Amino acid sequence: MKAVLLAAGAGERLQPLTATRPKHLLKVAGKPLLQFSLEAIKHAGIDEAILITHYRGEAIESYFGDGTKLGLELSYLNQPQILGTGNAAGIAEPFLDGDFVLIYGDLLFGIDTIKTVVSKFKSYKPAAVMGVVSVDCPENYGIIEQTTEGAVKRIVEKPPIDKAPSRLANAGVYAFSKQVFNRIRQIKASIRGELELTDAITMLVEEGQTVLSTELSKEDWFDVGRPWDLLNANGWALKRMEHRVLGKVEEGAHLIGPVSVAASARIRSGAYIEGPVFIDEESDIGPNCYIRSNTSLGRKTRVGNAVEIKNSILMDGTHVGHLSYVGDSILGEKCNLGAGTITANLRFDDGNIKMQIKDKCVDTGRRKLGVILGDNVKTGIKTLFMPGVKVGTNTWVGANVMVEQDLPANSVALLKQNIKIMQKPTLKSMRQKQSGLIDTS
Protein backbone atom coordinates (compact mmCIF):
# COMPACT_ATOMS: atom_id res chain seq x y z
CA MET A 1 0.00 0.00 0.00
CA LYS A 2 1.23 3.48 -0.94
CA ALA A 3 0.23 6.90 0.36
CA VAL A 4 -0.78 9.98 -1.61
CA LEU A 5 -0.47 13.39 0.03
CA LEU A 6 -2.21 16.43 -1.44
CA ALA A 7 0.15 19.38 -0.95
CA ALA A 8 -0.64 21.68 -3.87
CA GLY A 9 -2.64 24.50 -2.28
CA ALA A 10 -1.36 28.05 -1.84
CA GLY A 11 -2.81 28.57 1.64
CA GLU A 12 -4.23 32.02 0.90
CA ARG A 13 -6.06 32.20 4.24
CA LEU A 14 -2.68 31.88 5.96
CA GLN A 15 -1.24 35.01 4.38
CA PRO A 16 1.19 36.67 4.98
CA LEU A 17 2.89 33.51 6.31
CA THR A 18 2.43 31.68 3.00
CA ALA A 19 3.64 34.54 0.82
CA THR A 20 7.14 33.06 0.95
CA ARG A 21 6.55 29.35 1.64
CA PRO A 22 3.90 26.66 1.07
CA LYS A 23 1.66 26.14 4.09
CA HIS A 24 2.82 22.54 4.31
CA LEU A 25 6.27 23.78 5.39
CA LEU A 26 4.98 26.01 8.18
CA LYS A 27 6.56 24.68 11.37
CA VAL A 28 5.08 23.82 14.74
CA ALA A 29 7.36 22.59 17.53
CA GLY A 30 10.24 22.76 15.07
CA LYS A 31 8.75 20.50 12.37
CA PRO A 32 6.83 21.28 9.15
CA LEU A 33 3.15 20.35 9.18
CA LEU A 34 3.71 17.88 6.36
CA GLN A 35 6.34 16.01 8.35
CA PHE A 36 3.77 14.94 10.93
CA SER A 37 1.76 13.23 8.16
CA LEU A 38 4.86 11.57 6.74
CA GLU A 39 5.84 10.24 10.16
CA ALA A 40 2.32 8.87 10.67
CA ILE A 41 2.55 7.15 7.29
CA LYS A 42 5.79 5.46 8.32
CA HIS A 43 4.26 4.51 11.68
CA ALA A 44 1.38 2.80 9.84
CA GLY A 45 3.86 0.57 8.01
CA ILE A 46 3.74 2.40 4.67
CA ASP A 47 7.14 3.05 3.12
CA GLU A 48 6.29 4.84 -0.12
CA ALA A 49 4.47 8.14 -0.62
CA ILE A 50 3.57 10.35 -3.57
CA LEU A 51 3.32 14.09 -2.94
CA ILE A 52 1.06 16.11 -5.25
CA THR A 53 2.44 19.66 -5.30
CA HIS A 54 1.89 22.96 -7.09
CA TYR A 55 2.43 26.21 -5.15
CA ARG A 56 6.15 26.42 -4.34
CA GLY A 57 6.38 22.69 -4.85
CA GLU A 58 10.12 22.94 -5.36
CA ALA A 59 10.48 24.07 -1.73
CA ILE A 60 8.68 20.95 -0.50
CA GLU A 61 10.84 18.69 -2.66
CA SER A 62 14.01 20.50 -1.56
CA TYR A 63 13.12 20.11 2.12
CA PHE A 64 12.17 16.42 2.15
CA GLY A 65 14.22 15.17 -0.81
CA ASP A 66 13.85 11.46 -1.51
CA GLY A 67 12.58 10.80 2.01
CA THR A 68 15.63 8.87 3.22
CA LYS A 69 15.89 10.83 6.48
CA LEU A 70 12.34 9.78 7.36
CA GLY A 71 12.80 6.19 6.23
CA LEU A 72 10.44 6.72 3.30
CA GLU A 73 10.62 6.62 -0.48
CA LEU A 74 9.16 9.90 -1.69
CA SER A 75 8.23 10.97 -5.22
CA TYR A 76 6.65 14.18 -6.45
CA LEU A 77 3.99 14.97 -9.04
CA ASN A 78 2.99 18.47 -10.11
CA GLN A 79 -0.66 19.46 -10.36
CA PRO A 80 -0.51 21.96 -13.26
CA GLN A 81 -3.62 23.82 -12.10
CA ILE A 82 -5.49 23.85 -8.79
CA LEU A 83 -8.63 22.09 -10.00
CA GLY A 84 -9.71 20.38 -6.80
CA THR A 85 -8.96 17.36 -4.66
CA GLY A 86 -10.45 14.96 -7.18
CA ASN A 87 -8.18 16.27 -9.92
CA ALA A 88 -5.15 16.10 -7.60
CA ALA A 89 -5.89 12.51 -6.61
CA GLY A 90 -6.37 11.51 -10.23
CA ILE A 91 -2.84 12.60 -11.10
CA ALA A 92 -1.49 9.78 -8.93
CA GLU A 93 -3.47 6.97 -10.61
CA PRO A 94 -0.76 5.80 -13.09
CA PHE A 95 1.69 5.45 -10.20
CA LEU A 96 -0.48 3.28 -7.98
CA ASP A 97 -0.80 -0.48 -8.31
CA GLY A 98 -3.44 -1.20 -5.67
CA ASP A 99 -5.10 0.08 -2.54
CA PHE A 100 -3.77 3.37 -1.20
CA VAL A 101 -4.06 5.96 1.54
CA LEU A 102 -4.86 9.57 0.68
CA ILE A 103 -4.25 12.50 3.04
CA TYR A 104 -4.81 16.25 2.85
CA GLY A 105 -1.33 17.57 3.52
CA ASP A 106 -2.27 20.65 5.56
CA LEU A 107 -3.69 18.64 8.44
CA LEU A 108 -2.10 17.83 11.77
CA PHE A 109 -3.08 14.61 13.50
CA GLY A 110 -1.88 11.99 15.94
CA ILE A 111 0.71 9.38 15.05
CA ASP A 112 -1.84 6.51 15.13
CA THR A 113 -4.42 8.18 12.87
CA ILE A 114 -3.42 6.53 9.59
CA LYS A 115 -2.90 3.18 11.27
CA THR A 116 -6.50 3.37 12.56
CA VAL A 117 -7.92 4.10 9.08
CA VAL A 118 -5.80 1.43 7.36
CA SER A 119 -6.68 -1.18 9.98
CA LYS A 120 -10.41 -0.74 9.37
CA PHE A 121 -9.89 -0.81 5.61
CA LYS A 122 -7.96 -4.08 5.76
CA SER A 123 -10.45 -5.65 8.16
CA TYR A 124 -13.63 -4.93 6.16
CA LYS A 125 -12.27 -4.45 2.62
CA PRO A 126 -14.80 -1.74 1.60
CA ALA A 127 -14.47 0.58 -1.38
CA ALA A 128 -13.23 3.28 0.99
CA VAL A 129 -12.76 4.27 4.61
CA MET A 130 -13.05 7.91 5.67
CA GLY A 131 -11.63 9.34 8.83
CA VAL A 132 -14.22 11.59 10.53
CA VAL A 133 -13.92 13.89 13.50
CA SER A 134 -16.48 15.63 15.71
CA VAL A 135 -16.49 19.42 15.22
CA ASP A 136 -18.17 22.34 16.96
CA CYS A 137 -18.93 24.30 13.77
CA PRO A 138 -20.30 21.89 11.13
CA GLU A 139 -21.06 24.81 8.81
CA ASN A 140 -17.32 25.01 8.06
CA TYR A 141 -16.83 21.38 6.95
CA GLY A 142 -18.09 18.54 4.83
CA ILE A 143 -20.44 16.71 7.23
CA ILE A 144 -21.11 12.97 7.18
CA GLU A 145 -24.47 11.28 7.50
CA GLN A 146 -24.02 7.63 8.35
CA THR A 147 -25.85 4.49 9.43
CA THR A 148 -25.69 3.12 12.97
CA GLU A 149 -23.12 0.61 11.68
CA GLY A 150 -20.80 3.42 10.53
CA ALA A 151 -21.50 3.24 6.79
CA VAL A 152 -21.50 6.58 5.02
CA LYS A 153 -24.87 7.56 3.51
CA ARG A 154 -23.97 11.00 2.17
CA ILE A 155 -21.65 13.99 2.57
CA VAL A 156 -23.15 17.46 2.96
CA GLU A 157 -20.74 20.30 2.24
CA LYS A 158 -20.81 23.13 4.81
CA PRO A 159 -24.47 22.82 5.81
CA PRO A 160 -26.23 25.46 7.92
CA ILE A 161 -25.87 24.41 11.53
CA ASP A 162 -29.61 23.66 11.83
CA LYS A 163 -29.52 21.38 8.78
CA ALA A 164 -26.32 19.45 9.51
CA PRO A 165 -27.05 15.68 9.59
CA SER A 166 -24.41 15.25 12.31
CA ARG A 167 -21.32 16.91 13.75
CA LEU A 168 -18.96 14.40 12.16
CA ALA A 169 -16.73 16.15 9.64
CA ASN A 170 -14.64 14.72 6.85
CA ALA A 171 -11.17 14.56 8.43
CA GLY A 172 -9.24 14.43 5.13
CA VAL A 173 -7.70 10.99 5.80
CA TYR A 174 -8.83 8.12 3.57
CA ALA A 175 -8.06 4.58 2.49
CA PHE A 176 -9.24 3.69 -1.03
CA SER A 177 -9.40 0.82 -3.44
CA LYS A 178 -8.37 1.77 -6.97
CA GLN A 179 -11.98 1.65 -8.15
CA VAL A 180 -12.36 5.23 -6.85
CA PHE A 181 -10.53 6.42 -9.96
CA ASN A 182 -13.37 5.21 -12.18
CA ARG A 183 -15.65 7.61 -10.27
CA ILE A 184 -13.12 10.43 -10.27
CA ARG A 185 -13.13 10.35 -14.07
CA GLN A 186 -16.92 10.83 -14.01
CA ILE A 187 -17.26 13.76 -11.61
CA LYS A 188 -18.07 17.24 -12.85
CA ALA A 189 -16.89 20.60 -11.61
CA SER A 190 -18.56 21.86 -8.44
CA ILE A 191 -19.96 25.34 -7.92
CA ARG A 192 -16.39 26.35 -7.03
CA GLY A 193 -15.22 25.14 -10.42
CA GLU A 194 -13.28 22.24 -8.91
CA LEU A 195 -13.41 18.47 -9.16
CA GLU A 196 -14.21 17.34 -5.63
CA LEU A 197 -13.01 14.01 -4.27
CA THR A 198 -16.09 13.83 -2.05
CA ASP A 199 -18.27 13.74 -5.19
CA ALA A 200 -16.50 10.54 -6.23
CA ILE A 201 -17.15 9.07 -2.78
CA THR A 202 -20.82 10.03 -3.09
CA MET A 203 -20.96 8.13 -6.40
CA LEU A 204 -19.55 5.03 -4.71
CA VAL A 205 -22.27 5.23 -2.04
CA GLU A 206 -25.07 5.82 -4.57
CA GLU A 207 -23.93 2.76 -6.53
CA GLY A 208 -24.23 0.60 -3.43
CA GLN A 209 -20.52 0.36 -2.71
CA THR A 210 -19.52 0.24 0.95
CA VAL A 211 -17.87 3.37 2.31
CA LEU A 212 -17.13 3.22 6.03
CA SER A 213 -16.22 5.92 8.49
CA THR A 214 -13.92 5.69 11.46
CA GLU A 215 -13.99 8.38 14.12
CA LEU A 216 -10.71 10.03 15.02
CA SER A 217 -9.87 11.79 18.26
CA LYS A 218 -11.03 15.40 18.27
CA GLU A 219 -8.07 16.30 20.47
CA ASP A 220 -5.59 14.85 17.96
CA TRP A 221 -6.76 16.50 14.73
CA PHE A 222 -6.25 20.03 13.43
CA ASP A 223 -7.30 21.66 10.19
CA VAL A 224 -4.60 24.33 9.88
CA GLY A 225 -6.28 26.78 7.55
CA ARG A 226 -5.95 30.13 9.33
CA PRO A 227 -3.11 31.78 11.25
CA TRP A 228 -4.54 31.15 14.71
CA ASP A 229 -4.93 27.46 13.87
CA LEU A 230 -1.15 27.37 13.72
CA LEU A 231 -0.92 28.54 17.34
CA ASN A 232 -3.33 25.78 18.42
CA ALA A 233 -1.34 23.21 16.46
CA ASN A 234 1.93 24.43 17.97
CA GLY A 235 0.63 23.98 21.50
CA TRP A 236 -0.65 20.50 20.63
CA ALA A 237 2.69 19.44 19.14
CA LEU A 238 4.75 20.88 22.01
CA LYS A 239 2.74 18.91 24.57
CA ARG A 240 3.31 15.62 22.71
CA MET A 241 6.96 15.85 21.70
CA GLU A 242 9.90 14.38 23.59
CA HIS A 243 11.85 17.25 25.17
CA ARG A 244 15.62 17.31 25.67
CA VAL A 245 18.04 20.00 26.84
CA LEU A 246 21.21 19.70 24.76
CA GLY A 247 22.48 23.28 24.47
CA LYS A 248 24.37 25.54 26.86
CA VAL A 249 22.32 26.70 29.85
CA GLU A 250 24.17 29.24 31.96
CA GLU A 251 24.06 29.26 35.73
CA GLY A 252 21.15 31.38 36.91
CA ALA A 253 18.83 30.38 34.06
CA HIS A 254 15.67 28.51 35.05
CA LEU A 255 13.93 25.88 32.90
CA ILE A 256 10.58 24.80 34.33
CA GLY A 257 8.68 21.84 32.90
CA PRO A 258 9.19 20.31 29.43
CA VAL A 259 11.69 22.44 27.49
CA SER A 260 13.74 21.53 24.40
CA VAL A 261 17.04 23.32 23.83
CA ALA A 262 18.94 22.37 20.67
CA ALA A 263 22.64 21.50 20.90
CA SER A 264 23.95 24.80 19.50
CA ALA A 265 21.47 27.04 21.35
CA ARG A 266 22.44 29.23 24.32
CA ILE A 267 20.31 30.16 27.34
CA ARG A 268 21.84 33.08 29.22
CA SER A 269 21.70 33.71 32.95
CA GLY A 270 18.45 35.11 34.28
CA ALA A 271 16.28 33.57 31.57
CA TYR A 272 13.10 32.01 32.98
CA ILE A 273 11.48 29.45 30.67
CA GLU A 274 8.18 27.68 31.39
CA GLY A 275 7.47 24.70 29.17
CA PRO A 276 6.35 23.35 26.94
CA VAL A 277 8.83 25.36 24.89
CA PHE A 278 10.99 24.49 21.87
CA ILE A 279 14.25 26.37 21.15
CA ASP A 280 15.98 25.50 17.89
CA GLU A 281 19.63 25.49 16.80
CA GLU A 282 21.90 28.56 17.18
CA SER A 283 19.30 30.52 19.12
CA ASP A 284 20.48 32.98 21.77
CA ILE A 285 18.07 33.60 24.66
CA GLY A 286 18.45 36.20 27.42
CA PRO A 287 19.76 37.38 29.74
CA ASN A 288 16.84 38.14 32.05
CA CYS A 289 13.92 37.30 29.79
CA TYR A 290 10.69 35.36 30.27
CA ILE A 291 9.63 32.66 27.78
CA ARG A 292 6.17 31.32 28.59
CA SER A 293 4.48 28.07 27.63
CA ASN A 294 3.49 26.98 24.11
CA THR A 295 6.27 28.96 22.46
CA SER A 296 8.48 27.77 19.60
CA LEU A 297 11.65 29.66 18.71
CA GLY A 298 13.19 28.85 15.31
CA ARG A 299 16.80 28.59 14.25
CA LYS A 300 19.05 31.59 14.96
CA THR A 301 16.38 33.48 16.87
CA ARG A 302 17.50 36.12 19.37
CA VAL A 303 15.48 37.09 22.44
CA GLY A 304 17.00 40.00 24.34
CA ASN A 305 17.03 41.39 27.86
CA ALA A 306 13.72 42.03 29.64
CA VAL A 307 11.66 40.47 26.82
CA GLU A 308 8.53 38.42 27.47
CA ILE A 309 7.24 35.92 24.89
CA LYS A 310 4.06 33.92 25.44
CA ASN A 311 2.26 31.28 23.33
CA SER A 312 3.97 32.38 20.11
CA ILE A 313 5.96 31.16 17.13
CA LEU A 314 9.15 32.97 16.10
CA MET A 315 10.50 31.71 12.79
CA ASP A 316 14.15 31.35 11.82
CA GLY A 317 16.44 34.35 12.18
CA THR A 318 13.96 36.61 14.00
CA HIS A 319 15.25 39.02 16.66
CA VAL A 320 13.19 40.55 19.47
CA GLY A 321 14.97 43.49 21.05
CA HIS A 322 15.05 44.30 24.73
CA LEU A 323 12.01 45.56 26.65
CA SER A 324 9.52 44.01 24.21
CA TYR A 325 6.42 41.84 24.61
CA VAL A 326 5.20 39.22 22.12
CA GLY A 327 1.99 37.41 23.04
CA ASP A 328 -0.17 34.94 21.08
CA SER A 329 1.61 35.97 17.89
CA ILE A 330 3.43 34.53 14.88
CA LEU A 331 6.55 36.29 13.60
CA GLY A 332 7.90 35.26 10.19
CA GLU A 333 11.54 34.71 9.30
CA LYS A 334 14.17 37.41 9.81
CA CYS A 335 11.91 39.90 11.53
CA ASN A 336 13.57 42.48 13.77
CA LEU A 337 11.63 44.18 16.56
CA GLY A 338 13.02 47.40 17.98
CA ALA A 339 13.26 47.97 21.73
CA GLY A 340 9.93 48.35 23.47
CA THR A 341 7.82 46.78 20.71
CA ILE A 342 4.50 45.55 22.10
CA THR A 343 1.98 43.15 20.58
CA ALA A 344 -1.38 43.74 22.24
CA ASN A 345 -3.40 40.54 22.44
CA LEU A 346 -6.55 41.39 24.43
CA ARG A 347 -9.49 43.70 23.79
CA PHE A 348 -10.75 46.08 26.49
CA ASP A 349 -14.15 44.36 26.41
CA ASP A 350 -12.63 40.85 26.55
CA GLY A 351 -14.50 40.05 23.33
CA ASN A 352 -13.34 37.66 20.62
CA ILE A 353 -10.67 39.08 18.37
CA LYS A 354 -11.49 39.46 14.69
CA MET A 355 -9.03 39.16 11.81
CA GLN A 356 -9.26 39.98 8.12
CA ILE A 357 -9.02 36.74 6.13
CA LYS A 358 -8.92 37.40 2.40
CA ASP A 359 -11.89 39.75 1.92
CA LYS A 360 -13.82 38.88 5.08
CA CYS A 361 -13.63 39.96 8.70
CA VAL A 362 -13.61 36.67 10.62
CA ASP A 363 -14.31 36.03 14.29
CA THR A 364 -11.30 33.99 15.41
CA GLY A 365 -13.11 32.59 18.43
CA ARG A 366 -10.07 33.56 20.48
CA ARG A 367 -10.10 35.93 23.41
CA LYS A 368 -6.34 36.45 23.04
CA LEU A 369 -4.57 36.90 19.72
CA GLY A 370 -1.68 39.19 18.88
CA VAL A 371 -0.01 40.00 15.56
CA ILE A 372 0.87 37.97 12.46
CA LEU A 373 4.03 39.22 10.76
CA GLY A 374 5.30 38.10 7.37
CA ASP A 375 9.01 37.62 6.73
CA ASN A 376 11.50 40.50 7.02
CA VAL A 377 9.28 42.88 8.98
CA LYS A 378 11.16 45.54 10.97
CA THR A 379 9.89 47.82 13.72
CA GLY A 380 11.29 50.91 15.36
CA ILE A 381 11.35 51.53 19.09
CA LYS A 382 8.04 51.54 20.94
CA THR A 383 5.99 50.20 18.05
CA LEU A 384 2.58 48.96 19.18
CA PHE A 385 0.43 46.39 17.37
CA MET A 386 -3.26 46.11 18.23
CA PRO A 387 -4.87 42.63 18.53
CA GLY A 388 -5.47 40.67 15.33
CA VAL A 389 -3.32 42.82 13.02
CA LYS A 390 -1.40 41.32 10.08
CA VAL A 391 1.69 42.84 8.45
CA GLY A 392 2.94 41.82 5.00
CA THR A 393 6.45 40.76 4.11
CA ASN A 394 9.34 43.27 3.87
CA THR A 395 7.38 46.02 5.64
CA TRP A 396 8.91 48.60 8.00
CA VAL A 397 7.02 50.14 10.89
CA GLY A 398 8.54 53.28 12.34
CA ALA A 399 9.12 54.31 15.95
CA ASN A 400 6.07 55.05 18.14
CA VAL A 401 3.60 53.90 15.47
CA MET A 402 0.42 52.23 16.74
CA VAL A 403 -0.70 49.75 14.07
CA GLU A 404 -4.50 49.40 14.14
CA GLN A 405 -5.07 47.86 10.70
CA ASP A 406 -3.40 45.38 8.39
CA LEU A 407 -0.34 46.65 6.52
CA PRO A 408 0.48 45.47 2.99
CA ALA A 409 3.78 43.94 1.93
CA ASN A 410 6.72 46.13 0.91
CA SER A 411 5.36 49.22 2.66
CA VAL A 412 6.64 51.73 5.22
CA ALA A 413 4.44 53.05 8.05
CA LEU A 414 5.79 56.19 9.74
CA LEU A 415 4.32 58.50 12.36
CA LYS A 416 3.94 62.08 11.10
CA GLN A 417 4.60 64.51 13.92
CA ASN A 418 3.80 68.21 14.21
CA ILE A 419 6.75 69.62 16.11
CA LYS A 420 6.87 73.30 17.09
CA ILE A 421 10.37 74.75 17.26
CA MET A 422 10.92 78.04 19.12
CA GLN A 423 13.88 80.23 19.86
CA LYS A 424 15.43 79.23 23.15
CA PRO A 425 15.30 82.24 25.58
CA THR A 426 18.54 83.64 26.98
CA LEU A 427 19.22 83.81 30.68
CA LYS A 428 19.17 87.65 30.50
CA SER A 429 15.73 87.76 28.89
CA MET A 430 14.35 85.36 31.44
CA ARG A 431 15.59 87.56 34.31
CA GLN A 432 14.19 90.68 32.66
CA LYS A 433 10.82 88.97 32.28
CA GLN A 434 10.81 87.98 35.92
CA SER A 435 11.65 91.54 37.04
CA GLY A 436 8.88 93.03 34.87
CA LEU A 437 11.25 94.92 32.55
CA ILE A 438 9.82 93.16 29.52
CA ASP A 439 6.22 93.83 28.52
CA THR A 440 4.57 90.42 27.94
CA SER A 441 1.00 91.69 27.45
Side-chain angles (χ1 to χ4, degrees):
M1 181 176 272
K2 296 180 182 180
V4 177
L5 289 92
L6 308 188
E12 292 181 4
R13 293 181 300 165
L14 283 159
Q15 290 279 3
L17 303 174
T18 49
T20 49
R21 61 183 63 78
K23 61 181 175 180
H24 313 88
L25 292 186
L26 288 169
K27 290 183 179 181
V28 295
K31 291 194 298 189
L33 294 173
L34 191 58
Q35 185 168 333
F36 289 88
S37 295
L38 292 171
E39 290 174 351
I41 287 169
K42 179 66 179 177
H43 183 69
I46 299 172
D47 297 322
E48 189 173 348
I50 301 168
L51 279 67
I52 310 298
T53 63
H54 177 79
Y55 177 73
R56 296 185 179 269
E58 68 285 352
I60 296 175
E61 186 169 357
S62 175
Y63 190 94
F64 292 107
D66 62 4
T68 300
K69 292 182 179 179
L70 296 174
L72 292 168
E73 181 181 339
L74 300 182
S75 56
Y76 302 84
L77 298 173
N78 179 58
Q79 184 180 14
Q81 293 178 283
I82 302 298
L83 297 177
T85 52
N87 174 260
I91 291 172
E93 181 181 7
F95 303 91
L96 298 170
D97 51 12
D99 301 336
F100 66 100
V101 168
L102 187 140
I103 306 158
Y104 297 169
D106 56 352
L107 302 173
L108 185 65
F109 46 75
I111 192 71
D112 290 321
T113 297
I114 296 173
K115 181 181 285 188
T116 299
V117 173
V118 170
S119 176
K120 190 161 191 176
F121 183 82
K122 289 182 176 180
S123 296
Y124 293 92
K125 301 187 183 304
V129 170
M130 299 179 61
V132 297
V133 63
S134 178
V135 295
D136 296 326
C137 302
E139 66 272 20
N140 295 329
Y141 300 93
I143 299 300
I144 308 302
E145 183 180 358
Q146 61 182 2
T147 66
T148 54
E149 292 79 21
V152 176
K153 295 171 64 177
R154 61 176 179 141
I155 304 169
V156 184
E157 285 296 332
K158 298 182 178 179
I161 192 167
D162 59 333
K163 295 184 179 180
S166 73
R167 288 186 178 269
L168 293 177
N170 175 12
V173 182
Y174 310 88
F176 286 115
S177 67
K178 280 203 73 176
Q179 64 179 299
V180 72
F181 290 113
N182 294 330
R183 310 311 183 275
I184 287 174
R185 285 189 288 272
Q186 298 174 37
I187 59 179
K188 297 179 180 180
S190 68
I191 192 171
R192 298 189 303 172
E194 297 184 353
L195 302 177
E196 308 285 1
L197 182 60
T198 50
D199 288 346
I201 296 171
T202 298
M203 286 184 181
L204 290 172
V205 172
E206 290 174 346
E207 293 169 5
Q209 299 288 340
T210 301
V211 176
L212 300 178
S213 69
T214 186
E215 188 167 355
L216 309 177
S217 169
K218 180 180 180 180
E219 288 71 32
D220 285 340
W221 180 88
F222 289 92
D223 175 15
V224 185
R226 300 156 303 184
W228 58 92
D229 295 329
L230 205 61
L231 291 176
N232 296 335
N234 184 58
W236 177 90
L238 286 170
K239 289 179 176 68
R240 286 159 176 78
M241 70 180 291
E242 179 182 351
H243 290 271
R244 293 186 297 170
V245 177
L246 303 175
K248 182 178 180 180
V249 180
E250 295 181 356
E251 184 178 355
H254 299 273
L255 277 58
I256 312 298
V259 176
S260 286
V261 181
S264 57
R266 178 186 183 184
I267 311 299
R268 297 174 185 252
S269 181
Y272 195 94
I273 304 174
E274 294 179 333
V277 165
F278 173 82
I279 300 171
D280 213 338
E281 301 287 352
E282 299 182 67
S283 291
D284 189 351
I285 311 303
N288 305 318
C289 63
Y290 184 19
I291 311 296
R292 295 169 61 183
S293 61
N294 297 327
T295 292
S296 289
L297 305 178
R299 296 175 62 92
K300 297 184 178 181
T301 51
R302 175 80 180 97
V303 178
N305 177 60
V307 167
E308 180 178 347
I309 298 180
K310 172 241 177 186
N311 188 38
S312 294
I313 299 172
L314 274 60
M315 297 187 186
D316 298 351
T318 284
H319 292 188
V320 180
H322 46 288
L323 305 171
S324 296
Y325 173 73
V326 177
D328 303 278
S329 299
I330 303 173
L331 278 55
E333 291 186 5
K334 298 180 180 177
C335 294
N336 190 81
L337 304 192
T341 295
I342 302 295
T343 66
N345 61 345
L346 179 67
R347 290 165 52 115
F348 272 134
D349 62 2
D350 280 346
N352 287 352
I353 293 167
K354 296 179 173 61
M355 181 175 284
Q356 195 73 19
I357 300 297
K358 299 176 72 172
D359 58 346
K360 294 182 179 179
C361 184
V362 177
D363 185 339
T364 68
R366 293 179 64 101
R367 178 172 166 266
K368 291 188 176 182
L369 181 61
V371 68
I372 310 297
L373 303 185
D375 293 354
N376 299 304
V377 172
K378 294 184 179 181
T379 73
I381 61 170
K382 297 185 178 180
T383 297
L384 170 62
F385 294 99
M386 298 304 285
V389 164
K390 296 186 296 178
V391 179
T393 58
N394 304 312
T395 286
W396 296 353
V397 184
N400 289 306
V401 173
M402 183 171 70
V403 182
E404 299 179 280
Q405 63 185 42
D406 291 358
L407 298 179
N410 304 303
S411 60
V412 179
L414 300 175
L415 180 64
K416 184 178 180 180
Q417 300 187 67
N418 184 15
I419 301 176
K420 185 177 182 180
I421 301 176
M422 300 180 293
Q423 182 68 38
K424 181 179 179 182
T426 65
L427 182 60
K428 181 179 179 180
S429 66
M430 290 176 66
R431 287 175 176 170
Q432 289 175 333
K433 182 177 181 180
Q434 290 173 351
S435 63
L437 296 177
I438 296 178
D439 184 2
T440 60
S441 60

